[in-house]
């Protein structure tokens, strides 16, 4: 079993110059990799003979808008990897270079299970994975406008969907919700908490 220190040493010896930062939090390492080296580092992590990370447990997108301290870029992709033989975990994070059109190389050729995870990051955050075999929405409707996990996405959305009985199909219209402020109403009973009346 690898400790954080021994895994750090392995990564420093074999990937020196291929990553930007390595840090430890809660007993796990986070390896921050540039978008240029992302696929190469992931490939080595999967195929090396020292500590192969044969399982990708999770891949998710992150929106760092309004994050303090300021992140390198707005969008990032985070992978959670597991080496079964060595009972070892590693987190890999990379930032997309362009905030207006976040692009990253797909890792479906390394871990095929990343297919649906990358589709989810595309659907909810708009991160485009180059080389993905079937990059399309997976959770929202095909006519959905925008990416709902972006921090600047409006709570009410952009469109509302309703069934039009006359036309016999769904219709998409601009949101008609009017913003309002709800003031909670508190009802106090005269003998609330009085156990003598029981």
């Amino acid at each position: 079993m690898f400790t954080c220190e021994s895994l750090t040493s392995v990564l420093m010896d074999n990937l020196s110059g291929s990553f930007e930062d390595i840090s430890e939090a809660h007993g796990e390492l986070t390896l921050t990799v540039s978008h240029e080296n992302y696929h190469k580092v992931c490939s080595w992590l999967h195929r090396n003979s020292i500590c192969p990370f044969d399982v990708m447990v999770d891949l998710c997108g992150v929106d760092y808008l309004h994050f303090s301290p300021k992140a390198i870029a707005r969008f990032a992709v985070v992978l959670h990897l597991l080496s079964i033989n060595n009972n070892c975990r590693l987190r890999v994070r990379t930032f997309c270079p362009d905030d207006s059109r976040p692009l990253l190389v797909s890792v479906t050729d390394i871990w095929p299970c990343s297919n649906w995870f990358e589709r989810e990051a595309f659907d909810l955050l708009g991160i485009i994975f180059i080389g993905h075999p079937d990059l399309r929405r997976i959770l929202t409707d095909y006519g959905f406008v925008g990416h709902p996990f972006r921090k600047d996405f409006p709570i009410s959305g952009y469109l509302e969907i309703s069934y039009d009985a006359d036309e016999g199909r769904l219709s998409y219209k601009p949101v008609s919700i009017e913003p309002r402020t709800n003031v909670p109403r508190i009802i106090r009973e005269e003998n609330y908490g009085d156990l003598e009346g029981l």
Side-chain angles (χ1 to χ4, degrees), residues 1-3 7 51 53 81-90:
M1 180 174 157
F2 278 83
T3 63
L7 182 57
C51 183
F53 288 92
L81 306 176
L82 171 66
S83 175
I84 294 175
N85 291 339
N86 297 295
N87 191 22
C88 182
R89 293 181 181 269
L90 178 66

Side-chain angles (χ1 to χ4, degrees), residues 20-128:
E20 296 173 348
D21 184 46
I22 188 164
S23 59
E24 180 186 348
H26 308 290
E28 285 187 22
L29 289 180
T30 299
L31 187 70
T32 303
V33 181
S34 70
H35 68 278
E36 296 97 352
N37 293 326
Y38 171 65
H39 193 272
K40 178 180 80 171
V41 167
C42 286
S43 183
W44 185 87
L45 289 170
H46 179 62
R47 295 182 175 98
N48 77 85
S49 58
I50 306 161
C51 183
F53 288 92
D54 36 10
V55 177
M56 190 198 72
V57 178
D58 188 26
L59 179 150
C60 63
V62 181
D63 184 355
Y64 283 101
L65 184 69
H66 309 306
F67 183 76
S68 183
K70 179 79 173 118
I72 297 168
R74 178 176 173 181
F75 296 104
V77 169
V78 179
L79 284 76
H80 294 267
L81 306 176
L82 171 66
S83 175
I84 294 175
N85 291 339
N86 297 295
N87 191 22
C88 182
R89 293 181 181 269
L90 178 66
R91 186 179 301 112
V92 177
R93 178 176 63 173
T94 188
F95 288 91
C96 300
D98 184 5
D99 291 350
S100 61
R101 190 165 188 255
L103 296 169
L104 206 57
V105 177
S106 174
V107 292
T108 51
D109 60 324
I110 301 170
W111 295 285
C113 66
S114 66
N115 187 321
W116 282 23
F117 292 114
E118 289 181 352
R119 283 181 62 189
E120 182 181 26
F122 164 71
D123 189 3
L124 300 178
L125 288 163
I127 299 171
I128 299 167

Side-chain angles (χ1 to χ4, degrees), residues 144-162:
F144 193 88
V145 175
H147 304 284
F149 276 16
R150 287 189 175 191
K151 292 189 177 171
D152 55 0
F153 187 82
I155 292 174
S156 61
Y158 296 111
L159 296 174
E160 62 185 24
I161 303 170
S162 61

